[in-house]
Structure formats: structure tokens, C-alpha cells
């Protein structure tokens, strides 16, 4: 019921047939015009996920390095204009070292690599995605590939609580 379905290229007859099924499976269906648009949008969304996760991992590490209790960060963000439910959920998982896989780090890394290679084919540079990949590869090398993407925190330069 929380799934967002990305559907594309369906004619009106097909759309009328599958919409009732999609309505049961997901919270909403985003209909896109051309075949393949759903896959392309999913790639962009997964790149956004990578940026959110890495941004949270770095910011928690910065909070810790500044001598702050890193638990203050999600509390300060909660319900404010910078809040992202996903990022806050990942922050709590990072802080509690709870890495039960929802989206395994190895899959998120694969998607970030795919986004980067696709961007390069289109003459676009993704500096933030480029910067996070070596750290994520490090976390995978440290046996976190099958853990949740929140395990990216393990590769932070200064891990939370390591002071």
C-alpha cells in the first residue's frame, strides 16, 4: 500500500485494465508518456535516495565530530522544512546500527553506478554520486553489501560515536 508505481507507455485500454490492480498494490500510480520513462525516472529517484543517505551519513558524522549528540540531528529536522521522512528513518537506523535490509547497499551502489554511467553518456557530471561511490564500495568491502543502505554510515571518515 505504500508503493509508488511508475507506469509508462500504456494505451488507454491497457491503462483502464491495470489501474484497479495498481490502485490495490500502491498508494499512487504515476503515468508517464513513453515506454521506458518509468525505468528512467526510477534511476533518477534511486540517485536521489543515494544522495539523501550519504548526506545523512556525513552530517551525522559531522555532528559527532563537532561534539554534539548525533541524535539531535534527526530531532532538529523532524517536522521542519528540511525534513525527509526517508532520511530521518535512515538516520535513526544509522544511529542505532540497525541495518536489516530494506534496500541493500549493494543494490543502491549498483543503481548509483548506473546513474553515473548514464549521466556520463548524456554529457552530465554527477559529482555527489561520484564522491559517494568509493565510500560505499568501502562499506561493501567491509561486509555491508547485504545490509541496508543505511550501513553506508560505516564508511564515514569519523564514525558516529567513535570520539
Amino acid at each position: 500500500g505504500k508503493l509508488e508505481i511508475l507506469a509508462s507507455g500504456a494505451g488507454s485500454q491497457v491503462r483502464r485494465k491495470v489501474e484497479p490492480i495498481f490502485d490495490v498494490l500502491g498508494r499512487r500510480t504515476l503515468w508517464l508518456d513513453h515506454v521506458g520513462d518509468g525505468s528512467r525516472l526510477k534511476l533518477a529517484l534511486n540517485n536521489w535516495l543515494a544522495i539523501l543517505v550519504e548526506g545523512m551519513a556525513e552530517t551525522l558524522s559531522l555532528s559527532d565530530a563537532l561534539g554534539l549528540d548525533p541524535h539531535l540531528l534527526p530531532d532538529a529536522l523532524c517536522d521542519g522544512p528540511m525534513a525527509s521522512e526517508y532520511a530521518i528513518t535512515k538516520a535513526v537506523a544509522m544511529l542505532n546500527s540497525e541495518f536489516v535490509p530494506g534496500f541493500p547497499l549493494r543494490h543502491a551502489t549498483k543503481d548509483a553506478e548506473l546513474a553515473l554511467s548514464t549521466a556520463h553518456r548524456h554529457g552530465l557530471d554527477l559529482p555527489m554520486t561520484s564522491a559517494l561511490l568509493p565510500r560505499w564500495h568501502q562499506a561493501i568491502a567491509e561486509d555491508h553489501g547485504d545490509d541496508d543502505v543505511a550501513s553506508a554510515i560505516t564508511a564515514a571518515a569519523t564514525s558516529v560515536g567513535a570520539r
Side-chain angles (χ1 to χ4, degrees):
K2 292 186 178 187
L3 183 67
E4 181 162 348
I5 298 171
L6 307 176
S8 59
S12 60
Q13 282 186 323
V14 171
R15 185 173 172 168
R16 278 194 302 273
K17 287 181 182 179
V18 298
E19 264 185 324
I21 298 165
F22 288 172
D23 289 346
V24 170
L25 295 174
R27 66 178 177 84
R28 86 173 184 145
T29 301
L30 181 57
W31 288 95
L32 303 153
D33 293 332
H34 302 92
V35 172
D37 282 353
S39 295
R40 288 186 284 278
L41 182 55
K42 182 176 185 270
L43 182 62
L45 289 169
N46 283 349
N47 193 71
W48 176 239
L49 173 148
I51 300 300
L52 282 175
V53 168
E54 183 62 19
M56 184 55 72
E58 288 184 18
T59 306
L60 287 171
S61 296
L62 175 62
S63 297
D64 187 54
L66 293 172
L68 297 169
D69 177 355
H71 291 85
L72 292 171
L73 185 68
D75 189 43
L77 289 170
C78 190
D79 296 328
M82 294 186 293
S84 157
E85 183 179 341
Y86 184 82
I88 291 170
T89 298
K90 293 305 167 187
V92 171
M94 290 174 188
L95 289 165
N96 295 324
S97 297
E98 294 175 353
F99 304 139
V100 175
F103 186 32
L105 182 60
R106 65 184 166 88
H107 293 310
T109 301
K110 172 202 51 91
D111 287 350
E113 290 168 339
L114 183 57
L116 192 59
S117 101
T118 301
H120 288 162
R121 281 197 313 274
H122 287 86
L124 180 65
D125 186 28
L126 300 178
M128 291 171 53
T129 306
S130 294
L132 69 84
L133 280 170
R135 291 166 44 96
W136 288 21
H137 287 135
Q138 176 187 343
I140 290 170
E142 294 170 359
D143 208 26
H144 291 286
D146 291 324
D147 291 340
D148 188 75
V149 68
S151 66
I153 187 77
T154 63
T158 305
S159 62
V160 175
R163 279 184 287 118

